[in-house]
Amino acid sequence: MCGRFVSSSSPEQIGAYFGALSIEDFGTGNVYGVRAAYHVTEDFFFEANIGQSKAGQTSYETLGGNVQLLTDAERRFTYYSLSLGYNLFPGEVYLGRGLAMNSALYLLGGIGSTKFAGDQHFTVNFGAGYRVLPTDWLAIHIDVQDLVFQSDLLGQDKLTNNLGAWLGATVFF
């Protein structure tokens, strides 16, 4: 492998991910999405995400018996984000003596929008991830992000934290 983190001929990436998203007050469910990235330099990149999950029931709904705060359609949690990423620790990971793969621990922060419970919310996202390149054209990602927005769904205006963790793969093109 070469010493450069990003392939000099292809700074663009596209791929998919799958994991878990904890929607505040509504439990944890599966999340899936697509991502695209453009590496401006070896240190900085832009990343766009589109993801979707489904909210579970609140503890009030679970304990209240036949109470339903949201319809099935309103439980769909869809988010879009555009983030700036920084490769905090680019380098290599070694698997034995004969195999080295480029890798990076990176930080992300950005803005976007979340559609949930029939409302559209301005969203701020931040998180971290780890990327390994087993080949020059494939990257494997592990990410943790928080999607933060203001909500008054349960009668009180508050900042909600929606923590997600996912595993994904992207290809350079």
Side-chain angles (χ1 to χ4, degrees), residues 14 40 50 68 89 106 114 123 143 148 152:
I14 192 163
V40 180
I50 300 172
Q68 186 174 357
F89 296 118
Y106 55 90
T114 300
T123 305
D143 290 275
V148 181
D152 63 355

Side-chain angles (χ1 to χ4, degrees), residues 55-139:
Q57 291 186 329
T58 65
S59 57
Y60 176 73
E61 289 174 303
T62 303
L63 297 173
N66 202 15
V67 176
Q68 186 174 357
L69 295 176
L70 302 174
T71 66
D72 282 344
E74 291 174 325
R75 289 187 189 278
R76 185 173 298 127
F77 186 101
T78 305
Y79 63 92
Y80 312 90
S81 65
L82 179 61
S83 304
L84 176 63
Y86 177 69
N87 291 319
L88 188 60
F89 296 118
E92 292 182 327
V93 61
Y94 296 92
L95 302 173
R97 289 183 171 207
L99 182 59
M101 293 183 270
N102 288 334
S103 66
L105 177 66
Y106 55 90
L107 301 176
L108 284 171
I111 59 172
S113 180
T114 300
K115 185 175 182 181
F116 179 59
D119 291 326
Q120 199 80 24
H121 305 277
F122 173 77
T123 305
V124 175
N125 68 292
F126 58 91
Y130 186 69
R131 176 188 318 111
V132 175
L133 281 80
T135 69
D136 286 340
W137 58 270
L138 176 67

Side-chain angles (χ1 to χ4, degrees), residues 4-26:
R4 287 181 50 88
F5 175 71
V6 177
S7 173
S8 60
S9 63
S10 58
E12 300 92 6
Q13 290 177 269
I14 192 163
Y17 58 89
F18 179 80
L21 179 66
S22 175
I23 302 170
E24 188 168 331
D25 297 323
F26 288 89

Side-chain angles (χ1 to χ4, degrees), residues 25-56:
D25 297 323
F26 288 89
T28 302
N30 294 334
V31 64
Y32 57 91
V34 295
R35 70 190 323 158
Y38 180 78
H39 294 263
V40 180
T41 68
E42 286 188 32
D43 293 328
F44 291 98
F45 61 94
F46 288 105
E47 182 173 282
N49 285 310
I50 300 172
Q52 189 170 57
S53 185
K54 187 171 182 179

